[in-house]
Amino acid sequence: MTDALLRIEDLRTVFRSSGGDIPAVDGVSLEVPQGRTLGIVGESGCGKSMLSLSVMRLVPQPGRVATGRVLLDGRDLLALPNSAIRDVRGRDVAMIFQEPMTSLNPVHSIGDQIMEAMRAHDGGASNAELRERAVEALRRVRIPAPERRFTEYPHQLSGGMRQRVMIAMALACAPRLLIADEPTTALDVTVQAQILDLLRDLQAETGMSIILITHDLGVVAEMADEVAVMYAGRVVERGTAREIFEDPQHPYTLGLLGSIPRLDEERETLLAIDGTVPPPFALPPGCRFAPRCPFMISPCNDVVPPLRVVADGHLAACIRAPIEAALAP
Amino acid sequence: MTPLLEVRDLAKHYPVRSGMIIARQTGTVRAVDGVSFHVDRGETLALVGESGCGKSTTARLALRLIEPSAGSIRFEGTDVTRIGGAPLRALRRRAQIVFQDPYASLNPRMSVGDTIAEPMIVHGVGNAAARRARVEELLALVGLAPFHAARFPHEFSGGQRQRIGIARALSLRPELIVCDEPVSALDVSIQAQVVNLLKELQRRFGLAYLFIAHDLAVVKHMADRVAVMYLGRIVEIAPKRSLFAAPRHPYTRALLAAIPHPDPSGRGRVTPLGGDVPSPMAIPPGCRFHTRCAFAEDRCRVEEPPLRLVGESQVACHLAEQLPMADTAAGAGFAPNAVRRLALYAAARPGGKRP
């Protein structure tokens, strides 16, 4: 694809330990198209947050990006000097997180916090000008009475309002890419629906690209154009949202789908995925999902299966996909 | 038949005082404001609503973990609203709780074995050897291994911690377990594991659950009956099947519509419910929901609707009969390929049946 805003190539993020480097992200390649949404889905501990921190060059010590390139409009963010990456953060790429209360400073008014974000990238503007723009930013995220909210503190707002403030702050400098890391996980379903609706509207207004990170395929279905399913540091399936939901191939994707409680179906037990994600220091030798996979056969334990094309614009890393063909007598 | 748990007109009001030296009461938070329901033996009643609707307070009131301002609580027909001392301790053996946050509800300095054994020590059940044996049995019941008893909470994932919390609640062989959002903090895949475990335990031990959740999708697989709460009151209570097939209250409909469907073709089809829940210090007059309700009329703004029977549901809405049928066919289902592979997946799981 040529119109990708962000292109991640063979990214590998490792953590140093006495026993050698431990991979948290292990050879991930992805593209985020201009003005579209890439959903990255997987359970806690699968490396999806570490991937987004790698893009922003915010990997905490003792972690580091070992190999790979992160190209924003063709410019490798990993090769930029520190001063240049600071300009990229906030201005070109902004980020929102799961728990808005811990991301906001409790002792500053929300207006001051938005103005701070603006000032960091636009030192020349006057206070009055910034104030006006901050109020406008609050209005854009549909916060009622933005002039009054401007002077309020985070504890005076509901969870949904706080997430709106975070979005306002993230969008203050009109970034071209917004990374939303579990933006609705801590919220009620009704508020989640409001926030997803808002993100869709803002994307239509501004033409920004979004990386949406979540453990919930339902949320992905609401938002994403492209989907990448991550497991234990690797992408195990990716494709257009349509392909992933209409033709899910990887057993892990099937497990995530089966875990969603459905309203339209009477089923006694949910199709849970048994077990948990292996920690990055104890990865199985072959396919990383093999120990939890109901379709596992012995060759699965030998080599890590590469992503291969299973349909147009659709890749899966499973030697048995499509499973019905593999199971046919 | 006498229900296992029955609460009537339960209320919890918190006075709000202001002033530094002479504090005067300047308002009242009506967290729970007249709630009645019952839970039968072996059944699951789900209590669903947004943050701040009073569902967790109701759960704690039902167990007498906090004292009600008004109303009564009966356990197997016996009034337990004012009991204390030995009778209250006896009640605690029969009614237990699993909390939402598996990180905050386990003591980080206590081994898992000690945590699970503690209720037995408090209630003087068995000797040390018998308790150890029971801990092993409980660990196996919730899908953990005997060696886990010696470990500490930080060594476990969120889902495993929730299993520990469930084992602790089971240790006294209770008849009722209050589950206060037991899966809300977990990944979807782990939620499914815990929901399946709770159902399995219910089958084996005939447990009754009062299951608190903010998401109707989660209770679909747990509940026999569902009560929807809004601002301290129940606005609809119905058998699960009728609540999902024919939701009567506009708020129930909004909660159902807000659930994201794993089907990209239905995207953005519903208008989300606007606004936030009003403050329980300033509950709107008339119907509490009228400020966010798309159907509200003049009458709704002045006259509070009582719960009344409509079809199989008890519903507190003046307009319940006049509302257009709810669109419950949302998310027409998985694509054929997905359905076929999910069936193969189900069959291949341990204990799965061939399609």
Side-chain angles (χ1 to χ4, degrees), chain B residues 227-245:
Chain B
V228 177
M229 266 187 94
Y230 189 75
L231 268 183
R233 284 258 168 107
I234 290 175
V235 295
E236 181 163 4
I237 182 164
K240 175 181 74 182
R241 201 176 296 271
S242 32
L243 187 111
F244 282 94

Side-chain angles (χ1 to χ4, degrees), chain A residues 43-44 158 188 190 192 194 215 221-222 224 246-248 254 261-264 267-268 270 272-275 324, chain B residues 50-51 187-189 193 196 199 217 220-221 244 260-261 267 273 275-276 331 333-334 337 341-342 345-346 349:
Chain A
E43 292 164 281
S44 306
S158 66
D188 282 330
T190 46
Q192 166 169 287
Q194 292 173 4
H215 65 89
E222 289 286 328
E246 289 186 0
D247 189 26
L254 291 173
R262 301 296 309 277
L263 295 177
D264 53 343
R267 195 166 47 199
E268 260 310 290
L270 294 166
I273 311 170
D274 300 310
E324 63 277 7
Chain B
E50 288 168 282
S51 309
D187 278 354
V188 174
S189 55
Q193 288 179 6
N196 287 344
K199 285 197 76 168
K220 174 85 198 271
H221 286 268
F244 282 94
H261 290 281
R267 182 179 299 178
L273 185 63
D276 286 327
F334 288 132
N337 263 337
R341 293 193 187 123
L342 278 169
Y345 185 93
R349 286 182 73 221

Side-chain angles (χ1 to χ4, degrees), chain B residues 22-281:
Chain B
I22 307 162
R24 288 180 304 116
Q25 184 174 342
T26 52
T28 306
V29 172
R30 293 190 277 160
V32 177
D33 203 18
V35 162
S36 304
F37 61 82
H38 71 271
V39 185
D40 284 324
R41 255 176 205 288
E43 81 157 349
T44 301
L45 173 70
L47 207 53
V48 182
E50 288 168 282
S51 309
C53 74
K55 55 193 192 298
S56 288
T57 307
T58 305
R60 283 164 172 71
L61 288 171
L63 291 182
R64 290 279 317 277
L65 295 175
I66 49 179
E67 297 301 324
S69 313
S72 69
I73 305 155
R74 289 174 170 273
F75 199 80
E76 267 207 321
T78 311
D79 193 326
V80 297
T81 322
R82 302 272 168 244
I83 58 168
L88 183 60
R89 270 201 301 282
L91 172 70
R92 295 271 152 83
R93 276 182 78 154
R94 302 176 64 188
Q96 285 284 320
I97 185 165
V98 175
F99 293 99
Q100 168 173 6
D101 185 345
Y103 294 84
S105 58
L106 299 176
N107 185 335
R109 290 162 175 267
M110 270 170 87
S111 76
V112 164
D114 288 345
T115 294
I116 297 173
E118 198 180 26
M120 294 186 273
I121 296 169
V122 169
H123 288 272
V125 176
N127 56 24
R131 287 196 291 265
R132 247 193 321 276
R134 176 80 178 137
V135 166
E136 275 197 21
E137 184 191 338
L138 287 163
L139 284 170
L141 273 177
V142 298
L144 296 171
F147 66 84
H148 285 132
R151 300 211 173 163
F152 287 84
H154 74 265
E155 298 175 80
F156 293 87
S157 66
Q160 288 174 317
R161 287 181 210 211
Q162 206 52 294
R163 288 170 190 269
I164 296 164
I166 293 167
R168 175 176 60 187
L170 284 174
S171 64
L172 297 170
R173 304 177 199 276
E175 294 145 75
L176 170 74
I177 298 183
V178 171
C179 303
D180 187 3
E181 304 224 33
V183 299
S184 303
L186 306 176
D187 278 354
V188 174
S189 55
I190 309 299
Q191 283 184 6
Q193 288 179 6
V194 173
V195 164
N196 287 344
L197 172 66
L198 286 169
K199 285 197 76 168
E200 167 67 20
L201 293 169
Q202 180 168 47
R203 250 196 308 274
R204 286 180 70 167
F205 302 113
L207 293 164
Y209 291 134
L210 177 59
F211 191 93
I212 315 292
H214 67 248
D215 183 349
L216 274 169
V218 171
V219 312
K220 174 85 198 271
H221 286 268
M222 280 299 300
D224 299 300
R225 290 181 300 125
V226 181
V228 177
M229 266 187 94
Y230 189 75
L231 268 183
R233 284 258 168 107
I234 290 175
V235 295
E236 181 163 4
I237 182 164
K240 175 181 74 182
R241 201 176 296 271
S242 32
L243 187 111
F244 282 94
R248 304 278 178 181
H249 199 283
Y251 182 58
T252 311
R253 295 175 176 207
L255 284 181
L256 277 171
I259 297 166
H261 290 281
D263 171 14
S265 62
R267 182 179 299 178
R269 216 172 29 81
V270 281
T271 326
L273 185 63
D276 286 327
V277 184
S279 160
M281 271 185 78

